[in-house]
Amino acid sequence: MCKAKKIASSCLLSMTIMTGLTTLFCLSANAKILLPQILSSNMVLQRNKPLNIWGYAAPGEKIKVVFASQKKETITDKNGNWSVLLAPLKTSSKAQTMTISGTNKIELTNILVGEVWLCSGQSNMEYQMRKLAKIPKPKNEKLGFPSDAVEKAQNSQIRIFLVNRKQLNKPDSIHKSWAVAEDSALRAFSAVGYFYAKEIQEKLGVPVGMISSSVSGSAIEPWVAPEAFAQETYFTNQKVSNDPGKFYTTMIEPLAKFKIRGFLWYQGETNCFLNETISYSYKLKTLVNLWRKAWGEQMPFYYVQIAPYDYSKQKSDKVVLTGDTEPNFWEAQQQVLRLPNTGMISTSDLNDNGGDLHPTYKWEVGRRLALLALGKTYNQKIDFSGPVYKSVSFVGGKAILDFNYLKTDHLSSITGFTIASNDGKFINAEATVKDGKVIVSAKGIENPVAVRYNWTENPTGNFYSNGLPALPFRTDNPLTKQFKTN
């Protein structure tokens, strides 16, 4: 009886193995070429860079990729992965087709070659184009109000890719992830991302592709891999909370083989609610370094100062929020400007209501980010920044401040500056521009030691240059010595 059982078990095992092998053989024999979600019809490929084209198929399968007069062949590895490298492509506004052949044949159509950017962050970056048709008319009429932007969008040179967190890691079989920026696809897309692309496309005259990967309410930590925090000295022996890597693994890392020009970042409100200062500086620094490492390039990283908001009026069980909470956070954001190839835009004038965490004017945020890129990345001779504080000296009872990007001597009356002596009490100050410097003083302050500008969660200062607002700052910035770029 036992012998019979052993024979039966042996036969069953053999049948199981044969069935498994047969199934594996069938899967291998019938395996079709599959592509990642980011490779699809309607996409824009980054010009002037070697391009990865990759996917999946049966192990040992011969794959051929044909595009723009280039033919590349490869053999899939033992796991069925394959990849080819296309030589850099020139700008092309004419739609082209890419064919990928093996057991099956895939045709990706309507492909352009131009500039590609990735935008990411939380709700203010995710803020969808469809909302523009429903919001009240903004107070600042000088900045316009493109509430009908979706209806007017008829530019096939702008393409968009909206990351689906659940799908991005899965192979694609329909090849329709990219879309022309119009209709329902545009309504669901990032307003900041679209208006950025619109400005870049108009000024450069080349196709532009925008990838949007954002999550409403997200802190910065999920966008950074845990091992990246472990490699940053600041976080030694510190536990990083808020689910590190949660979104990086699913929404950023799968994109890293796809060549792009640079990054746009609009995030921080969630971390500001936690009253963060220098810890956020290091988290943002870690994110910048990680993303650049993932793509293998020191690409430009342009980001947005979080907009004015009444944090001091909000209740928190974790921290005490004050009138200094947001200015302190702005200061933390600005530390990353000390990293190479970065830029930050001011939004101190872009909120009509201090109780609105999601202010309008997303079109202006996109435009200001585009000005940074046009000036710094594309080397256009334009004014792309408002004044950025550089240094101060105190002479004869006055503060003399130097700024980058200060190009006007015609400001009649500058508001928003305060000044203090050794007692630390700041009072409103008079400020004028003379010989390319800002002179700040106040009656009753004979020996000033510190100056601040727009140091409030409700800024009203009018210090502009090139039509763009100055970044808020304080000369007695404690983070300058605390934050290390290396």
Side-chain angles (χ1 to χ4, degrees), residues 168-424:
L168 188 61
N169 262 324
K170 298 179 181 179
D172 185 17
S173 58
I174 59 175
H175 319 303
K176 295 181 179 180
S177 300
W178 281 88
V180 176
E182 59 187 19
D183 302 329
S184 60
L186 181 56
R187 275 191 281 272
F189 198 73
S190 162
V192 169
Y194 171 71
F195 286 110
Y196 174 87
K198 187 173 183 290
E199 190 75 13
I200 294 293
Q201 201 285 318
E202 288 176 356
K203 295 300 188 292
L204 297 183
V206 304
V208 176
M210 291 300 301
I211 303 168
S212 177
S213 184
S214 302
V215 176
S216 178
S218 60
I220 190 174
E221 294 89 343
W223 299 100
V224 183
E227 56 269 23
F229 285 123
Q231 293 168 8
E232 169 55 55
T233 304
Y234 178 83
F235 297 106
T236 302
N237 300 321
Q238 285 193 44
K239 181 181 179 181
V240 179
S241 59
N242 291 331
D243 296 321
K246 180 179 180 180
F247 301 138
Y248 175 77
T249 302
T250 56
M251 300 181 69
I252 297 297
E253 193 173 30
L255 302 170
K257 288 184 180 180
F258 192 79
K259 292 294 183 180
I260 62 176
R261 178 63 68 192
F263 308 106
L264 306 178
W265 178 253
Y266 191 170
Q267 188 278 337
E269 295 86 354
T270 295
N271 293 86
C272 188
F273 272 113
L274 297 174
N275 224 357
E276 288 199 63
T277 56
I278 194 169
S279 60
Y280 187 85
S281 303
Y282 277 106
K283 289 170 185 175
L284 186 54
K285 170 194 170 185
T286 305
L287 182 147
V288 173
N289 289 338
L290 171 65
W291 288 19
R292 286 175 170 175
K293 182 179 179 181
W295 267 265
E297 298 180 64
Q298 293 296 305
M299 291 188 292
F301 187 96
Y302 301 136
Y303 60 110
V304 183
Q305 167 202 341
I306 62 171
Y309 178 70
D310 296 334
Y311 285 92
S312 63
K313 296 180 181 180
Q314 313 307 312
K315 294 182 179 180
S316 173
D317 296 331
K318 299 180 180 180
V319 297
V320 177
L321 300 173
T322 71
D324 282 342
T325 292
E326 187 165 28
N328 283 331
F329 190 82
W330 290 337
E331 190 171 69
Q333 285 186 293
Q334 290 182 48
Q335 296 308 304
V336 173
L337 287 175
R338 292 157 58 186
L339 298 181
N341 210 6
T342 58
M344 175 178 168
I345 67 163
S346 175
T347 59
S348 57
D349 59 338
L350 298 183
N351 198 350
D352 292 340
N353 175 9
D356 186 0
L357 193 59
H358 305 103
T360 56
Y361 302 110
K362 294 295 187 285
W363 52 94
E364 179 65 11
V365 173
R367 188 187 77 89
R368 290 179 184 180
L369 285 169
L371 289 177
L372 275 180
L374 290 168
K376 292 169 68 72
T377 298
Y378 299 112
N379 300 314
Q380 291 199 346
K381 296 187 181 304
I382 61 169
D383 297 321
F384 56 82
S385 176
V388 178
Y389 169 70
K390 185 166 58 173
S391 63
V392 65
S393 58
F394 298 96
V395 180
K398 297 181 179 180
I400 303 173
L401 288 79
D402 278 313
F403 290 83
N404 291 318
Y405 313 117
L406 177 58
K407 291 189 176 181
T408 179
D409 287 341
H410 304 292
L411 293 174
S412 56
S413 177
I414 305 176
T415 61
F417 279 90
T418 58
I419 195 168
S421 57
N422 279 320
D423 63 6

Side-chain angles (χ1 to χ4, degrees), residues 39-47 49 51-53 64-73 84-101 106-114:
L39 297 178
S40 84
S41 295
N42 299 315
M43 66 181 167
V44 176
L45 295 173
Q46 177 61 48
R47 62 178 177 171
K49 292 186 180 184
L51 299 175
N52 298 307
I53 304 297
K64 181 169 70 173
V65 177
V66 179
F67 184 72
S69 302
Q70 296 188 48
K71 296 180 180 179
K72 302 288 182 176
E73 295 184 353
V84 300
L85 192 66
L86 297 180
L89 300 168
K90 294 182 179 180
T91 305
S92 175
S93 299
K94 181 180 179 182
Q96 300 180 73
T97 297
M98 177 184 294
T99 60
I100 303 167
S101 306
I106 296 173
E107 287 192 352
L108 304 182
T109 61
N110 200 22
I111 298 172
L112 307 180
V113 182

